[in-house]
């Protein structure tokens, strides 16, 4: 009887070991892969002539003429931006000619309602949303009526350079914004 009992106990132990090896548990596993992509800042300058087409070089200008040159900036990026623009010009005289005007040959009808001038730049007063375009910085370039013969065959070169920086987390106004690209 003891032997029988011992055999039954051994069989039960073996059965217990076998069943523990076959016990299954419900399990699960999951992996999350997240991507956070930064936005971008991109702008384009648009210059339009009096025909509504992109501005092209104008010839045969005389003192007192007004040339239509509408300058705007479009936000072509994914994020809202602050915008500033530098406008510089030089009048290249014919070799040997001397000018007495020195910087007063041309004038512009700058929009001082939507733009603020400070330290060499015109700052657009509003945040420019993606896909939006500023109001015109200026519409007309005027040639001084008092320009004399020394300006015959001269060439006026007007450079318009626009810069943008993110508006999010970057100042409450355009004049407080930081991180402007270097000219």
């Amino acid at each position: 009887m003891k032997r029988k009992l011992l055999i039954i106990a051994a069989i039960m132990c073996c059965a217990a070991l076998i069943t523990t090896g076959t016990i299954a548990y419900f399990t699960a596993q999951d992996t999350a892969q997240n991507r956070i992509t930064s936005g971008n800042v991109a702008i384009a300058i648009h210059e339009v002539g009096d025909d509504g087409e992109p501005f092209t070089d104008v010839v045969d200008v005389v003192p007192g003429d007004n040339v239509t040159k509408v300058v705007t900036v479009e936000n072509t990026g994914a994020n809202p931006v602050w915008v500033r623009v530098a406008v510089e010009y030089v009048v290249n005289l014919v070799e040997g000619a001397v000018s007495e005007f020195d910087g007063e040959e041309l004038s512009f009808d700058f929009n001082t309602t939507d733009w603020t001038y400070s330290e060499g730049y015109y700052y657009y007063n509003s945040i420019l949303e993606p896909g939006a375009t500023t109001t015109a910085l200026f519409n007309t370039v005027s040639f001084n009526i008092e320009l004399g013969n020394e300006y015959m065959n001269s060439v006026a070169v007007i450079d318009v350079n626009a810069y943008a920086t993110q508006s999010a987390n970057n100042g409450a106004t355009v004049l407080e914004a930081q991180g402007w690209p270097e000219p």
Side-chain angles (χ1 to χ4, degrees):
M1 181 86 173
K2 279 188 178 189
R3 188 168 180 213
K4 232 181 190 181
L5 215 49
L6 192 57
I7 292 174
I8 292 173
I11 291 173
M12 288 175 74
C13 282
C14 286
L17 287 174
I18 291 171
T19 50
T20 28
T22 60
I23 294 176
Y25 297 95
F26 290 135
T27 62
Q29 181 177 346
D30 190 13
T31 302
Q33 183 180 49
N34 299 300
R35 294 181 181 186
I36 300 174
T37 304
S38 61
N40 64 54
V41 171
I43 55 172
I45 298 172
H46 298 289
E47 298 179 313
V48 178
D50 58 3
D51 57 0
E53 296 295 318
F55 185 84
T56 57
D57 294 343
V58 177
V59 295
D60 297 330
V61 176
V62 297
D65 276 356
N66 296 314
V67 174
T68 300
K69 181 179 174 93
V70 180
V71 175
T72 60
V73 179
E74 178 186 6
N75 181 350
T76 59
N79 294 91
V81 295
W82 293 116
V83 172
R84 74 179 183 181
V85 175
V87 178
E88 300 171 342
Y89 77 88
V90 62
V91 177
N92 297 316
L93 300 175
V94 174
E95 189 175 330
V98 179
S99 168
E100 61 185 62
F101 287 96
D102 194 32
E104 296 178 9
E105 297 92 347
L106 307 179
S107 61
F108 303 83
D109 64 336
F110 287 110
N111 173 349
T112 56
T113 302
D114 300 318
W115 296 81
T116 299
Y117 182 79
S118 179
E119 298 180 18
Y121 295 96
Y122 287 89
Y123 292 85
Y124 191 59
N125 296 328
S126 301
I127 292 173
L128 191 60
E129 296 294 333
T133 301
T134 64
T135 57
L137 172 58
F138 62 87
N139 296 295
T140 306
V141 179
S142 300
F143 290 79
N144 191 325
I145 190 73
E146 296 178 14
L147 296 178
N149 288 340
E150 68 273 20
Y151 286 91
M152 279 196 276
N153 298 313
S154 64
V155 176
V157 178
I158 302 168
D159 291 328
V160 178
N161 296 296
Y163 307 91
T165 188
Q166 71 183 47
S167 62
N169 308 315
N170 193 8
T173 69
V174 67
L175 296 176
E176 295 173 4
Q178 301 293 313
W180 294 102
E182 292 295 322

